[in-house]
């Protein structure tokens, strides 16, 4: 046996290929068969029992058994030792190592050494054999290079064992070559970080296990983008984070280490919503320091908690930093601003209900925007409603540009938004109007001086016009289809007509049935509402009409279209009832229930008052005048009608009442069909 590791065998086209039979034998791991195969390939028996091989016509007594054939490679550059290591044949690996020691450091196309292959396969026996071969060599640079060899992924044998969860190999490598735990990949990922990132607590424990003499683990904690293993553990579990914190003396120091974006492990635990991990981090003596570390955008942990929407974590952080109101980001925003900006309504509600946070409600950022400004700007009606229900929130504050919340609401309304009454910006604007902060749908709202301060952007105007045109076209198509179906239903009534030779010829046969009458009323309502919606959409798209008129036409069309659809669904259910007859009562009940489902769930305006709490907000701020949208005496009946049609009661109560009436009619039809079949 040579005293040192032979020169590494690199893959190349000049190497001889491994024979087919030899590959098969190496794959199945048959040592005796391998010796038989090699015995027929030019071997001679020496007096001392070793086998000499003739390579290129010469005998190499020190080369070992079968060297000439074993130095071949497969098409992927795998040597005989690669094949054996990949399949976990420990006995055969020892034989090959003895026969061809140079193969221990050989690399294939992927730059994997046999040790890397053994680590991937999870073969502790093969890995132990290879390590023993490396240790038995003279050592030095060759041994270190072979042991620390990295493949094309930049991974060492320990990386691969950790990544694939090969606990036996990791345990062996940490016992025999713990220095591998300090080697990182090309992108800076250490085995410990990889273990935490793959959420393997077992691997973390193995990598952090101290040596037999009590020496701490030499593992590196480095990870991607400047993160540490504790950053990765904080996103997973408390137990893993505790393992790393127990790693003395390094573990506790990782709590205040920030990554390339300035975030500490506490930031990561908060953003992933792990309350138990946050509590663990805050129990240590550096808790106050952690809560005062901001990221590259100036966001503190309290900002992260608000963004993540966790009120419990937020309360824990506030306990550690009583001057939380002083913690603002690079834009001067406190955590209430951040909660509003990220639409975390639960956090906003929690803050509004807690008097401790009262000083945050009207705080302004560096642009002069309060949380209410941001909620209006981004169009979050639930948050606007929540903030306005707190009477401490002031609604008359202007920002740095002199804009009030109503000004921001006006700016957000584009022509296309008038086409859809469930648009969030539209709801926010109307909510402010119901509180008396402005006038709903005035002729010159879009001509407000604030809209003329900035130079118009032709590209944005063109995109808005295209969006408006598409919405008007789609709405017109839908309303025309409903009108067509409702019109046809008048002349193809269910049940047919009385024959000409009978009394009341030409009339509907089922005309006296309750379901038939309900069918007729629903069809008429669907037809009339759709016709009006069609007309208003056509008028609203005509540029010749004044802007104020076009806005009104669009708004009215957006009101009549849902009514037409609801009535059409009701007509379908009543018509189906008449067709099914008395023999299919189970199906009749199913039809009514199935038809009621879209009425409740496909028209959000039915639930908006309950979901957003608009009614409570308007009542608390403006009373009954806000609900009917009459804050001062109207100058004419026309103005009174306009104000009422833009009111909360008209916009949301009408649709809700219609659904209630339809549901009551469904229930009455079922009850009458059971109790009075002929009615």
């Amino acid at each position: 046996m040579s005293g040192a590791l032979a020169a590494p065998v690199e893959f190349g086209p000049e190497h001889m290929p491994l024979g087919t039979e030899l590959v098969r034998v190496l794959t199945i791991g048959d040592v005796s068969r391998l010796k038989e195969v090699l015995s027929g390939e030019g071997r001679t028996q020496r007096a001392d029992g070793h086998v000499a091989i003739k390579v290129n016509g010469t005998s190499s007594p020190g080369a070992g058994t079968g060297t000439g054939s074993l130095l071949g490679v497969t098409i992927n550059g795998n040597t005989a030792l690669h094949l054996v290591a990949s399949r976990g044949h420990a006995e055969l690996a020892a034989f090959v190592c003895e026969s061809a020691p140079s193969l221990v450091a050989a690399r294939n196309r992927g730059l994997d050494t046999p040790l890397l292959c053994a680590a991937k396969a999870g073969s502790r026996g093969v890995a132990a054999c290879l390590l023993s071969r490396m240790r038995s060599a003279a050592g030095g640079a060759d041994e270190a290079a072979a042991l620390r060899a990295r493949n094309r992924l930049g991974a060492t044998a320990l990386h691969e064992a950790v990544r694939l969860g090969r606990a036996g190999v990791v345990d062996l490598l940490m016992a025999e070559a713990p220095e591998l735990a300090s080697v990182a990949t090309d992108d800076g990922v250490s085995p410990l970080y990889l273990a935490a990132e793959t959420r393997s607590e077992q691997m973390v424990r193995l990598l952090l296990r101290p040596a037999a003499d009590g020496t701490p683990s030499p593992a590196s904690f480095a990870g991607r983008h400047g993160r540490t293993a504790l950053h990765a553990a904080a996103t997973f579990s408390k137990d893993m984070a505790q393992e790393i914190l127990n790693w003395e003396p390094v573990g506790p120091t990782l709590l205040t280490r920030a990554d390339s974006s300035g975030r500490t492990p506490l930031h990561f635990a908060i953003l992933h919503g792990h309350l138990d991990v946050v509590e663990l981090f805050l129990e240590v003596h550096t808790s106050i320091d952690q809560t005062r570390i901001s990221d590259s955008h100036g966001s503190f942990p309290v900002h992260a908690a608000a963004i993540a929407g966790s009120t419990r974590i937020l309360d824990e952080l506030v306990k550690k930093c009583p001057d939380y109101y002083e913690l603002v980001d690079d834009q001067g925003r406190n955590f209430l601003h951040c909660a509003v900006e990220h639409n975390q309504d639960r956090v906003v509600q929690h803050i509004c209900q807690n008097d401790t946070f009262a000083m945050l409600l009207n705080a302004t950022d560096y642009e002069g925007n309060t949380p209410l400004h941001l909620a209006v700007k981004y169009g979050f009606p639930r948050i606007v409603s929540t903030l306005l229900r707190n009477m401490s929130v002031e609604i008359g504050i202007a920002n740095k540009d002199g804009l009030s919340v109503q000004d921001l609401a006006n700016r957000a309304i584009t022509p296309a938004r008038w086409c859809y009454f469930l648009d969030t910006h539209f709801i926010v604007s109307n909510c402010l109007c119901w509180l008396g902060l402005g006038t709903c749908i005035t002729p010159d709202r879009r001509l407000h001086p604030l809209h003329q301060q900035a130079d118009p952007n032709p590209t944005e105007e063109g995109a808005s016009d295209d969006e408006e045109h598409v919405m008007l076209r789609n709405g017109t198509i839908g309303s025309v289809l409903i009108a067509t179906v409702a019109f046809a239903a008048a002349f193809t009534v269910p049940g047919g007509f009385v024959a000409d030779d009978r009394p009341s010829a030409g009339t509907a046969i089922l005309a006296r049935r309750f379901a038939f009458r309900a069918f007729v009323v629903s069809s008429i309502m669907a037809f009339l509402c759709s016709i009006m919606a069609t007309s208003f959409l056509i008028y609203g798209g005509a540029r010749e009409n004044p802007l104020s008129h076009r806005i009104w036409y669009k708004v009215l069309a957006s009101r009549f279209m849902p009514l037409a659809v609801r009535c059409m669904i009701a007509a379908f259910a009543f018509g189906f009832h008449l067709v099914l007859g008395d023999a299919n009562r189970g199906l009749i009940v199913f039809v009514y229930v199935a038809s009621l489902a879209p009425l409740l769930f496909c028209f959000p305006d039915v639930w908006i008052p309950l979901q957003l709490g608009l009614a409570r907000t308007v009542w608390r701020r403006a009373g009954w005048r806000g609900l009917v949208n009459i804050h001062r005496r109207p100058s004419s009946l026309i103005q009174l009608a306009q104000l009422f049609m833009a009111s909360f009661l008209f916009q949301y109560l009408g649709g809700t009442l219609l659904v209630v009436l339809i549901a009551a009619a469904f229930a009455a039809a079922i009850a009458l069909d059971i109790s009075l079949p002929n009615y």
Side-chain angles (χ1 to χ4, degrees):
M1 175 65 199
S2 175
L5 287 175
V9 177
E10 298 285 352
F11 172 79
E14 71 278 2
H15 291 292
M16 69 184 75
L18 281 172
T20 304
E21 179 62 17
L22 188 58
V23 170
R24 188 185 69 81
V25 172
L26 291 170
T27 301
I28 63 176
D30 189 342
V31 178
S32 59
R33 177 57 184 158
L34 176 61
K35 293 179 179 179
E36 292 178 4
V37 171
L38 295 176
S39 64
E41 297 183 0
R43 299 191 305 161
T44 59
Q45 187 73 26
R46 290 183 357 196
D48 58 1
H50 288 81
V51 180
I53 305 298
K54 291 183 178 180
V55 180
N56 295 329
T58 63
S59 178
S60 178
T65 305
T67 303
S69 298
L70 291 177
L71 287 182
V73 295
T74 66
I75 193 171
N76 286 326
N78 287 311
T79 66
L81 195 53
H82 283 93
L83 296 178
V84 172
S86 297
R87 288 157 179 82
H89 302 316
E91 183 182 359
L92 195 55
F95 176 80
V96 174
C97 287
E98 180 70 22
S99 302
S102 63
L103 298 184
V104 173
R107 294 172 179 262
N108 59 15
R109 281 185 182 273
L111 300 184
D112 286 320
T113 63
L115 182 59
L116 276 157
C117 291
K120 289 181 179 181
S123 176
R124 182 185 178 113
V126 175
C129 174
L130 295 172
L131 288 173
S132 175
R133 177 59 55 178
M134 294 176 182
R135 297 300 190 194
S136 65
D142 290 340
E143 178 191 349
L147 187 60
R148 292 171 173 257
R150 297 190 292 180
N151 57 20
R152 292 194 185 276
L153 297 178
T156 64
L158 186 56
H159 281 97
E160 294 293 0
V162 169
R163 180 174 64 86
L164 297 174
R166 311 305 188 191
V169 177
V170 173
D171 179 65
L172 174 68
L173 292 175
M174 289 304 297
E176 299 294 333
E179 64 272 19
L180 287 179
S182 63
V183 180
T185 61
D186 295 334
D187 54 353
V189 176
S190 64
L192 180 59
Y193 181 87
L194 184 61
E197 189 179 47
T198 55
R199 302 184 175 184
S200 176
E201 295 183 25
Q202 181 185 19
M203 295 299 156
V204 170
R205 285 194 294 269
L206 290 173
L207 291 169
L208 295 181
R209 186 182 62 194
D213 58 356
T215 305
S217 170
S220 168
F221 52 77
R224 297 182 181 87
H225 311 298
R227 298 168 189 163
T228 68
L230 191 57
H231 283 89
T235 66
F236 175 48
S237 73
K238 177 181 178 180
D239 293 338
M240 183 182 293
Q242 185 69 70
E243 286 286 343
I244 297 177
L245 288 178
N246 292 338
W247 176 32
E248 295 289 349
V250 181
T253 65
L254 302 182
L255 284 169
T256 54
R257 283 184 176 266
D259 64 2
S260 58
S261 63
R263 292 176 176 173
T264 63
L266 181 59
H267 281 91
F268 276 67
I270 293 170
L271 291 174
H272 285 80
H274 294 307
L275 175 62
D276 55 347
V277 178
V278 173
E279 292 174 339
L280 172 66
F281 290 168
L282 295 181
E283 288 174 357
V284 301
H285 67 279
T286 59
S287 59
I288 297 180
D289 296 333
Q290 295 178 65
T291 59
R292 297 180 182 277
I293 298 177
S294 62
D295 63 15
S296 56
H297 299 289
S299 296
F300 292 88
V302 288
H303 294 87
I307 293 172
S310 177
T311 57
R312 296 180 63 187
I313 292 178
L314 187 61
D315 289 339
E316 291 295 326
L317 293 171
V318 168
K319 293 177 184 177
K320 292 293 182 179
C321 48
D323 58 340
Y324 57 86
Y325 48 86
E326 297 285 346
L327 304 179
V328 296
D329 62 11
D330 291 346
Q331 301 179 64
R333 297 180 178 180
N334 56 44
F335 59 83
L336 179 55
H337 285 97
C338 292
V340 171
E341 189 174 19
H342 290 82
N343 198 20
Q344 295 294 349
D345 54 278
R346 289 181 55 202
V347 176
V348 176
Q349 184 177 9
H350 177 71
I351 294 173
C352 289
Q353 293 176 348
N354 194 335
D355 293 337
T356 306
F357 302 119
M359 62 186 66
L360 302 177
L361 299 177
N362 298 305
T364 58
D365 60 14
Y366 296 154
E367 297 295 325
N369 292 316
T370 65
L372 184 59
H373 279 87
L374 297 181
V376 172
K377 175 183 177 181
Y378 293 113
F380 298 144
R382 188 193 300 272
I383 292 180
V384 170
S385 176
T386 301
L387 289 171
L388 290 176
R389 277 201 300 274
N390 190 311
M391 301 304 292
S392 299
V393 174
E394 299 180 15
I395 56 180
I397 299 176
N399 64 12
K400 186 179 69 174
D401 298 324
L403 301 179
S404 65
V405 291
Q406 182 64 31
D407 298 329
L408 292 175
N410 289 343
R411 282 191 163 190
I413 299 296
T414 63
R417 296 191 187 279
W418 293 109
C419 302
Y420 186 49
F421 71 102
L422 292 179
D423 187 280
T424 56
H425 287 278
F426 184 86
I427 296 173
V428 168
S429 178
N430 277 343
C431 181
L432 296 176
C433 292
W434 296 329
L435 299 181
L437 300 182
T439 305
C440 294
I441 317 176
T442 58
D444 57 348
R445 277 188 75 175
R446 292 290 297 162
L447 302 179
H448 194 280
L450 292 172
H451 294 283
Q452 301 173 358
Q453 291 177 359
D455 296 333
N457 189 328
T459 304
E460 293 182 359
E461 287 186 356
S464 179
D465 290 342
D466 291 341
E467 183 181 2
E468 179 185 10
H469 175 72
V470 170
M471 295 189 71
L472 288 172
R473 182 192 62 191
N474 294 340
T476 304
I477 293 173
S479 61
V480 169
L481 287 175
I482 295 174
T484 303
V485 173
F487 181 84
F491 304 100
T492 56
V493 296
F497 300 95
V498 177
D500 294 340
D501 57 347
R502 298 292 181 89
S504 303
T507 61
I509 296 175
L510 303 176
R512 296 183 180 276
R513 301 286 296 272
F514 172 82
F516 184 87
R517 296 171 184 174
F519 167 79
V520 172
V521 172
S522 301
S523 297
I524 292 174
M525 292 295 296
F527 178 76
L528 295 179
C529 290
S530 61
I531 286 295
M532 287 188 286
T534 302
S535 302
F536 288 138
L537 287 170
I538 293 173
Y539 298 151
R543 297 286 180 174
E544 294 77 11
N545 291 326
L547 176 62
S548 61
H549 293 183
R550 284 168 26 216
I551 290 175
W552 266 107
Y553 293 145
K554 295 171 188 175
V555 172
L556 291 174
S558 69
R559 298 293 186 274
F560 282 111
M561 268 294 293
L563 298 179
V565 176
R566 291 184 175 103
C567 292
M568 181 55 62
I569 293 174
F572 166 81
F574 291 126
F576 224 134
H577 178 177
L578 295 170
V579 171
L580 291 174
D582 300 336
N584 296 283
R585 284 189 180 136
L587 282 177
I588 291 174
V589 173
F590 171 77
V591 169
Y592 282 127
V593 173
S595 300
L596 187 61
L599 293 176
L600 295 175
F601 302 112
C602 294
F603 299 94
D605 59 310
V606 176
W607 303 104
I608 279 181
L610 297 177
Q611 290 180 335
L612 305 183
L614 296 178
R616 286 188 296 161
T617 301
V618 175
W619 177 263
R620 188 165 189 178
R621 285 273 182 175
W624 66 270
R625 292 182 179 275
L627 295 178
V628 298
N629 196 35
I630 301 176
H631 299 278
R632 55 184 178 273
R633 186 174 181 178
S635 59
S636 63
L637 291 177
I638 295 179
Q639 186 183 19
L640 176 63
Q642 289 179 336
L643 291 173
F644 181 74
M645 283 189 290
S647 68
F648 173 86
L649 290 179
F650 180 81
Q651 292 191 23
Y652 297 113
L653 193 59
T656 304
L657 287 176
L658 181 60
V659 171
V660 172
L661 289 175
I662 293 175
F666 286 174
I670 295 173
L672 289 173
D673 186 74
I674 296 174
S675 59
L676 300 173
N678 296 324
Y679 182 78

